Amino acid sequence: MPTFSFDAQVTAALFDRTGAIFALGDGSVRFENGARSEVHDGPILSAAVPPSGEGVVTGGDDSIAASSESGLIAFSAGRTLSVIDVKDAAFRRDFHHERTVSGVAFDPKGRRIATATYGGAWLWYARIEQQQPTKLAWAGSHLAVSFSPDGAFVVTSMQDAQLHGWRMKDQKNMRMGGYPSKVKSFAFMAKGQLLATSGAQGVVLWPFIGANGPMGREATEIGFDESTLIAQVAAAPAHGRLAAGLEDGRVWWADPAGQGLEFVKKDKGAPIVALAMSAGSARIAWADEDGQAGVVSL
């Protein structure tokens, strides 16, 4: 397992087509092959794989997202969501919000964008210049946002210890609570049938099978350990494997349809702050609060 000791905290871990990439708080990007690129004067606060699938696009702003389907990149700065096209330097759309944008996500086709903001999520058509957003309202501060892989649901994490969701066809609300701490990380997996989340002593799995998603259904939990909390989760939407990074520094993976879980980092240490799973769910990249990081093949 390749391991690394960085002199700054990792703010994001991800995989492109060539391998693992780590974005750091000192403004640098580190690659699995040892290469280093100085890309920011200040810290990198957000990162995503660009539409090409190779390399990384980074931001010092609140959030960033990219779509391989539409070739668009979206990023927020304060109350503004901006959209650019990697193949058309002249294209740009700016969409303004009443409050700060905290999270950005494309729908599966890259045509619509959801933003997390105070009071709920806003939906925009990525290429239309003059429009009124669809506002999915729910009181409170919403931090991160994602579409389900089939585009049928939008889910946000909140400043409170809960998730919230909406069914797109009728904007029906879905409350997902009961967490002992804030949900810092969540990921769809198993072809969108499960939503895995951090924020509890084990990974919480919400069912998204059928037209109603988790409405009226109970979540399950795997990897329960009363001595610590799940800090980060990672998954590949098309596959059934799941990775979890713990507040006590350990990392494990599991297939919820199988038996048990396997630790790929057994030693305890600083909390895991970044976690990624490759698109084929064969590799995991992790990093802790002290700048220690690693890449492992399953």
Side-chain angles (χ1 to χ4, degrees), residues 159-162 178-184 198-200 229-230 247:
Q159 182 66 38
D160 303 327
Q162 62 178 307
Y179 290 89
S181 68
K182 186 166 66 175
V183 180
K184 300 176 184 177
S198 68
L229 291 170
I230 303 295
E247 292 283 357

Side-chain angles (χ1 to χ4, degrees), residues 189 194 222 240-241 253-261:
M189 56 181 292
L194 292 172
I222 64 170
R241 285 178 170 175
W253 76 274
D255 184 340
Q259 295 291 325
L261 51 86

Side-chain angles (χ1 to χ4, degrees), residues 200-237:
Q201 287 89 348
V203 173
V204 177
L205 296 172
W206 293 96
F208 272 76
I209 301 171
N212 295 325
M215 290 185 287
R217 307 179 70 178
E218 294 292 329
T220 57
E221 194 169 357
I222 64 170
F224 180 87
D225 186 336
E226 64 181 9
S227 69
T228 188
L229 291 170
I230 303 295
Q232 297 286 324
V233 296

Side-chain angles (χ1 to χ4, degrees), residues 47-99:
V49 177
S52 67
E54 294 184 7
V56 60
V57 55
T58 62
D61 301 309
D62 297 312
S63 53
I64 194 167
S67 170
S68 60
E69 296 293 326
S70 62
L72 299 175
I73 295 172
F75 57 94
S76 69
R79 300 181 183 183
T80 303
L81 166 71
S82 299
V83 186
I84 58 176
D85 187 333
V86 295
K87 294 183 179 180
D88 181 1
F91 178 87
R92 181 178 175 122
R93 298 288 184 262
D94 292 311
F95 304 122
H96 302 289
H97 297 70
E98 296 167 0
R99 306 288 286 271

Side-chain angles (χ1 to χ4, degrees), residues 103-123:
V104 175
F106 281 98
D107 75 356
K109 295 181 179 179
R111 296 174 182 171
R112 298 188 82 181
I113 302 172
T115 58
T117 185
Y118 189 87
W122 290 22
L123 302 177

